[in-house]
Amino acid sequence: MDWSIQEIARIAGTTSRTLRHYDSIGLLKPSRTGHNGYRYYNQAALVQLQRILLLRELGLGLSVISQVLDDETDAAKALAGHLAWLKQEQDRLSRQIASVTQTINAVKGGGEIMAEEMFNGFDHTQYKDEVEERWGKDAYAKGDSWWRGMSADEKAAWKQRSQQLGEDWIAAATAGIEPDSAEAQALAKRHVEWLTGIPGTPASDARGTADGAGGGTRGVKGYVTGLGEMYVADPRFAKNYGGAEGAGFVRDALAVYAEKNL
């Protein structure tokens, strides 16, 4: 069974023009073309389109999406990673919706607002267990205290800095520069400085120490290179760098920097 380009555009909430553009750049080819020149798409093409639209939702450009699709040819495996992330987002958004609804009802009815419940879904504690498992309870406690002690403006500035770093990595990877180039190494230096500014991380705790057992420069080196590998292995992190290809570039650049400087 297949569907015409008009049917797919309607079902997917896109346009025939967009689908023709995807065809022209090799991102999504129709399964067949009729004698009248009409494009038709089968089930495999629909799966491909779903993956494209999911990656577009993450803010990735078409060239990066093409690289991601080429790197991960197992559609079921790739979609499983997307599904896990979507479920996390669903849970977070559900909690935010309930929180905001409760606030609206309280404001309208003159009721009491519960501060603890107002910000449910806005916090970072969803990663508490994972952080404690990787780096210990003290690491989470320090990071949590640091974050909660920041003002709204400080949090916004930190988020902007993080986002800009990710965008700069994506731009560098897309430009095709080498991981050991001056530009990539400048980004790696920024990245390590960003990590050392987060209390509770091995990179932060190692500042001013010298032995690898308690952190130190050797501890930082292992931490930085380990994070690079995690960026590639975990889709939640890879999406921050444009997908697996971009994350691989970050990993390689960090490895070069760590070898020379840590």
Side-chain angles (χ1 to χ4, degrees):
M1 180 178 180
D2 55 18
W3 296 262
S4 70
I5 189 171
Q6 291 85 0
E7 289 175 314
I8 295 304
R10 176 181 57 81
I11 295 170
T14 185
T15 66
S16 298
R17 181 179 180 181
T18 296
L19 294 174
R20 287 194 295 271
H21 178 60
Y22 289 170
D23 181 10
S24 69
I25 62 176
L27 191 61
L28 179 67
K29 290 291 185 181
S31 53
R32 70 180 179 90
T33 302
H35 66 277
N36 54 6
Y38 285 2
R39 295 170 172 84
Y40 292 88
Y41 299 82
N42 61 14
Q43 181 173 303
L46 263 62
V47 171
Q48 181 89 333
L49 178 59
Q50 185 184 56
R51 293 182 63 191
I52 292 169
L53 296 179
L54 285 168
L55 292 167
R56 288 291 281 169
E57 285 290 323
L58 296 177
L60 304 186
L62 295 182
S63 61
V64 177
I65 289 175
S66 179
Q67 293 174 1
V68 172
L69 294 175
D70 289 342
D71 290 342
E72 182 52 86
T73 57
D74 187 334
K77 180 180 178 181
L79 288 170
H82 283 302
L83 181 60
W85 179 80
L86 287 170
K87 285 182 176 179
Q88 289 181 345
E89 284 296 288
Q90 181 184 47
D91 175 67
R92 184 180 65 83
L93 290 173
S94 295
R95 289 186 290 129
Q96 285 188 353
I97 290 169
S99 174
V100 173
T101 300
Q102 186 176 44
T103 300
I104 291 173
N105 292 336
V107 171
K108 285 184 175 179
E112 181 180 358
I113 294 177
M114 302 299 291
E116 293 82 357
E117 297 175 1
M118 279 183 66
F119 300 102
N120 187 22
F122 295 87
D123 63 273
H124 59 287
T125 57
Q126 58 182 309
Y127 301 113
K128 179 176 184 291
D129 292 342
E130 187 173 350
V131 172
E132 290 184 346
E133 181 179 350
R134 287 181 184 275
W135 298 298
K137 292 185 176 181
D138 186 54
Y140 176 81
K142 288 181 179 179
D144 182 62
S145 177
W146 164 74
W147 183 254
R148 293 182 185 279
M150 294 169 69
S151 67
D153 288 343
E154 288 172 333
K155 288 179 180 178
W158 190 86
K159 288 180 179 179
Q160 176 58 37
R161 180 187 177 192
S162 303
Q163 181 179 344
Q164 186 62 57
L165 181 60
E167 291 175 356
D168 290 346
W169 273 120
I170 292 173
T174 304
I177 65 174
E178 294 298 322
D180 60 353
S181 67
E183 183 179 351
Q185 288 305 291
L187 278 172
K189 183 176 185 292
R190 275 175 57 193
H191 200 96
V192 172
E193 290 172 347
W194 172 67
L195 290 172
T196 57
I198 305 174
T201 66
S204 174
D205 291 345
R207 287 181 300 180
T209 65
D211 74 13
T217 55
R218 285 179 292 169
V220 177
K221 181 178 180 180
Y223 172 64
V224 169
T225 55
L227 279 182
E229 294 293 344
M230 188 171 68
Y231 293 159
V232 178
D234 193 324
R236 295 173 303 169
F237 293 100
K239 70 182 179 68
N240 294 324
Y241 306 108
E245 185 76 16
F249 173 75
V250 177
R251 174 200 60 198
D252 294 344
L254 288 176
V256 171
Y257 181 85
E259 187 63 33
K260 291 182 178 179
N261 300 284
L262 299 178

